[in-house]
């Protein structure tokens, strides 16, 4: 092969590598941006969840009611993990026990009836 063809092949391969590099950089950039966005949403979600837990454990009935409403809203988000669901279930169980101790006259949920 002569020098002209060799130079052309090397140039073509260099161009292909450059295009592939640009594509990989763009894909990684989009992935990183989505991950950063997810983490931002997750961080705000966690701040709200902390607010809910604080109020759910309060002695003030109005604060507990506000926490119950917000809990439902937070549990519908896409970034809820299985650990978050566990905490939600634990809070729900605690609230049920607390209501029974207070004698609120609340009807037990179907799940609670099965446990007794």
């Amino acid at each position: 092969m002569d020098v002209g063809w060799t130079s052309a092949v090397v140039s073509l391969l260099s161009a292909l590598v450059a295009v592939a590099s640009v594509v990989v950089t763009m894909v990684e950039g989009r992935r990183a941006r989505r991950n950063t966005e997810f983490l931002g949403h997750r961080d705000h979600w966690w701040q709200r969840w902390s607010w809910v837990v604080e109020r759910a454990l309060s002695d003030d009935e109005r604060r507990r009611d506000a926490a119950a409403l917000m809990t439902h809203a937070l549990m519908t988000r896409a970034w809820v993990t299985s650990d978050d669901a566990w905490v939600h279930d634990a809070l729900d169980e605690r609230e049920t026990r607390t209501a029974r101790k207070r004698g609120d006259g609340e009807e037990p949920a179907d799940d609670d009836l099965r446990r007794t």
Side-chain angles (χ1 to χ4, degrees), residues 4 19 31 39 41 45-46 51 57 63 77-78 91:
V19 168
R31 187 190 61 77
L39 291 175
H41 285 298
W45 185 91
W46 185 251
W51 179 91
L57 300 176
R63 291 179 132 219
R77 306 291 19 135
L91 281 173

Side-chain angles (χ1 to χ4, degrees), residues 2 16 20 38 43 47 53 71 77 100:
D2 91 326
L16 289 175
F38 173 81
D43 184 51
Q47 289 173 5
V53 170
T71 299
R77 306 291 19 135
R100 285 181 182 160

Side-chain angles (χ1 to χ4, degrees), residues 77-109:
R77 306 291 19 135
W79 38 85
V80 173
T81 66
S82 59
D83 289 339
D84 302 329
W86 180 86
V87 171
H88 173 262
D89 292 343
L91 281 173
D92 191 39
E93 187 175 315
R94 182 191 182 280
E95 180 60 26
T96 301
R97 280 194 317 257
T98 303
R100 285 181 182 160
K101 285 180 184 176
R102 282 193 314 258
D104 285 352
E106 291 182 14
E107 293 293 319

Side-chain angles (χ1 to χ4, degrees), residues 45 48-49 51-57 60-77 80 88 91-92 95:
W45 185 91
R48 291 177 186 123
W49 184 249
W51 179 91
V52 165
V53 170
E54 178 184 320
R55 279 151 185 81
L57 300 176
D60 182 5
E61 186 176 344
R62 288 179 38 215
R63 291 179 132 219
R64 287 192 313 271
D65 290 344
L69 290 172
M70 190 65 168
T71 299
H72 176 70
L74 289 174
M75 293 307 291
T76 62
R77 306 291 19 135
V80 173
H88 173 262
L91 281 173
D92 191 39
E95 180 60 26

Side-chain angles (χ1 to χ4, degrees), residues 9 17 24 44 50 55 74 91 98 102 107 114-115:
V9 169
V17 168
V24 167
H44 286 160
S50 299
R55 279 151 185 81
L74 289 174
L91 281 173
T98 303
R102 282 193 314 258
E107 293 293 319
R114 285 187 214 120
R115 284 187 229 158

